[in-house]
Amino acid sequence: MPVPNPVRLSELTTLRLGGPAPDLVTVTNADEIADVVGAADRSGYGVLVLGGGSNLVVADRGIETPVVRIGVRGIRVAPVADGRAAVTIGAGENWDDVVAELTGQGFAEFAPLSGIPGSAGATPIQNVGAYGTEIAEVLTGVAAYDRVAGLVRHLPAAELGLGYRHSALRGTDRAVVCAITVRLHRGDVEVKYTELARALGVQSGAFVPPAEVRDAVLDLRRKKGMVLDPDDPDTYSVGSFFTNPIVGRDQARDVDEAIKARFGPATSYPAYPVTGPDGRADPAGRVKLSAAWLIERAGFSKGFEGPGGRVSLSTKHTLALTNRGGTTADLIALARQIRNGVRDAFAISLQPEPMLIGVSLDD
């Protein structure tokens, strides 16, 4: 019988927070995932599936279930008929290592996704995106262990329900991603995001070599404390803690009224029409707002401190909540204070981006 390998989740998360778990097993291929996760499911005790630990907030008391860490490696590039390449990536690969490798080979699409912490297998689960690019744009499918059927199978991207920081797998026990497959091309990157275009000294819509885009993105993320650095406490976070809210016409009108009542009728603020994958305007007229703008205007500036100064907003970026030697309870208290402050000021409730394990903003 295997000897238990107890672990503290604080050792496995980028927040450096989280209590104990009774066991840790690392799986390195799809068969091992099926064996270990399948056995746990059949026994009824369950598991916590862990990639890079960059998107988890775990309770201080820890969890009672074992941790299965996904360690499936490998990057395989295969040419396809249209001159592009089908690239299959092991779910346990470090995401930024993947981006560095493929960008170095001249592939375009991943350069704007540079510097994002975590594992490759997590990217479709929350439809990772940054600087005008989302994994949904290139994902063709995933190999996954289907925990209901008890087998490894291919899930096409169309079945994953990919949306803004969302997929059909997020927050469920439906499946464990073993590998992802994307379709990429070698060439220049279309720069879609204004901030990135400004950093590169080009107009939005310009085409720039992928290596240059990667360097610019890493510089932008570093200035925001969004590139993991053991010497920078601003990086002890899950990145953006809150998602940018997407609201319908009626709620957008309510938020607009709240903003202008607070700051005056001439106030302008970031608001972007939601478009579909084909670039067409959303028929429901939904609008994406800036969570960072709302947080700052509700009175929470960069460096705003939570309980005892043990947690705080990043000194570089108001969307990141950082650990300064505190606890998960401290972090959740700060997140709740910010969520409630924004709701009181602007009639909108921000939603957390990371997975919350054993804790809730509504406690």
Side-chain angles (χ1 to χ4, degrees):
M1 187 171 182
V3 177
N5 178 28
V7 65
R8 292 196 66 82
L9 273 300
S10 58
E11 299 172 3
L12 302 176
T13 61
T14 54
L15 264 171
R16 299 190 175 185
L17 293 176
D23 196 11
L24 169 67
V25 178
T26 299
V27 289
T28 60
N29 57 55
D31 288 341
E32 289 181 2
I33 291 174
D35 289 345
V36 174
V37 176
D41 289 343
R42 289 188 296 273
S43 72
Y45 58 76
V47 293
L48 172 64
V49 177
L50 183 74
S54 63
N55 199 45
L56 283 180
V57 181
V58 183
D60 296 310
R61 65 179 179 273
I63 58 176
E64 297 179 355
T65 56
V67 176
V68 175
R69 182 164 52 185
I70 305 301
V72 183
R73 307 299 296 272
I75 302 173
R76 298 187 301 279
V77 179
V80 292
D82 62 359
R84 296 177 177 252
V87 184
T88 300
I89 304 160
E93 287 284 350
N94 176 280
W95 176 250
D96 194 51
D97 290 347
V98 170
V99 176
E101 171 68 23
L102 294 173
T103 300
Q105 293 184 32
F107 289 107
E109 288 85 354
F110 281 173
L113 304 180
S114 295
I116 297 174
S119 64
T123 59
I125 292 174
Q126 63 184 85
N127 188 19
V128 161
Y131 297 104
T133 296
E134 291 182 336
I135 197 71
E137 297 169 20
V138 294
L139 186 75
T140 60
V142 303
Y145 172 64
D146 184 328
R147 297 176 69 174
V148 177
L151 51 83
V152 176
R153 67 188 187 93
H154 176 74
L155 297 176
E159 291 185 14
L160 297 179
L162 297 169
Y164 173 63
R165 303 299 178 269
H166 176 77
S167 76
L169 301 181
R170 180 178 166 84
T172 77
D173 293 330
R174 174 184 168 187
V176 179
V177 175
C178 309
I180 71 171
T181 300
V182 295
R183 185 163 292 194
L184 307 177
H185 84 283
R186 288 184 171 90
D188 290 346
V189 180
E190 182 181 3
V191 179
K192 306 173 186 176
Y193 201 81
T194 302
E195 182 186 20
L196 178 57
R198 189 182 305 119
L200 287 161
V202 300
Q203 297 293 316
S204 293
F207 287 83
V208 177
E212 293 182 26
V213 173
R214 174 172 167 77
D215 288 345
V217 168
L218 288 174
D219 185 57
L220 286 169
R221 292 183 65 87
R222 195 172 291 113
K223 289 175 179 176
K224 297 176 182 179
M226 293 290 190
V227 176
L228 291 178
D229 180 350
D231 296 324
D232 181 0
D234 275 336
T235 68
Y236 300 155
S237 77
V238 290
S240 297
F241 192 92
F242 294 103
T243 59
N244 290 321
I246 294 177
V247 298
R249 287 190 183 95
D250 291 345
Q251 191 174 11
R253 184 179 59 249
D254 292 343
V255 173
D256 181 75
E257 291 175 356
I259 289 172
K260 290 179 178 177
R262 191 178 181 95
F263 299 113
T267 303
S268 62
Y269 54 91
Y272 309 98
V274 173
T275 58
D278 58 1
R280 295 182 180 179
D282 177 54
R286 293 181 301 161
V287 175
K288 181 187 291 186
L289 304 173
S290 167
W293 191 95
L294 295 168
I295 290 168
E296 291 179 13
R297 298 324 186 274
F300 303 101
S301 58
K302 295 172 185 175
F304 181 90
E305 293 185 347
R310 297 182 297 272
V311 295
S312 76
L313 285 178
S314 167
T315 63
K316 304 179 185 71
H317 187 28
T318 48
L319 270 183
L321 277 63
T322 65
N323 174 23
R324 307 279 170 157
T327 64
T328 301
D330 292 334
L331 189 87
I332 292 297
L334 176 59
R336 188 178 295 124
Q337 181 182 3
I338 292 168
R339 190 273 312 268
N340 293 349
V342 170
R343 183 175 59 197
D344 292 345
F346 303 118
I348 189 167
S349 188
L350 298 180
Q351 299 300 315
E353 183 167 329
M355 300 300 300
L356 307 184
I357 308 296
V359 292
S360 169
L361 296 191
D362 296 323
D363 287 345

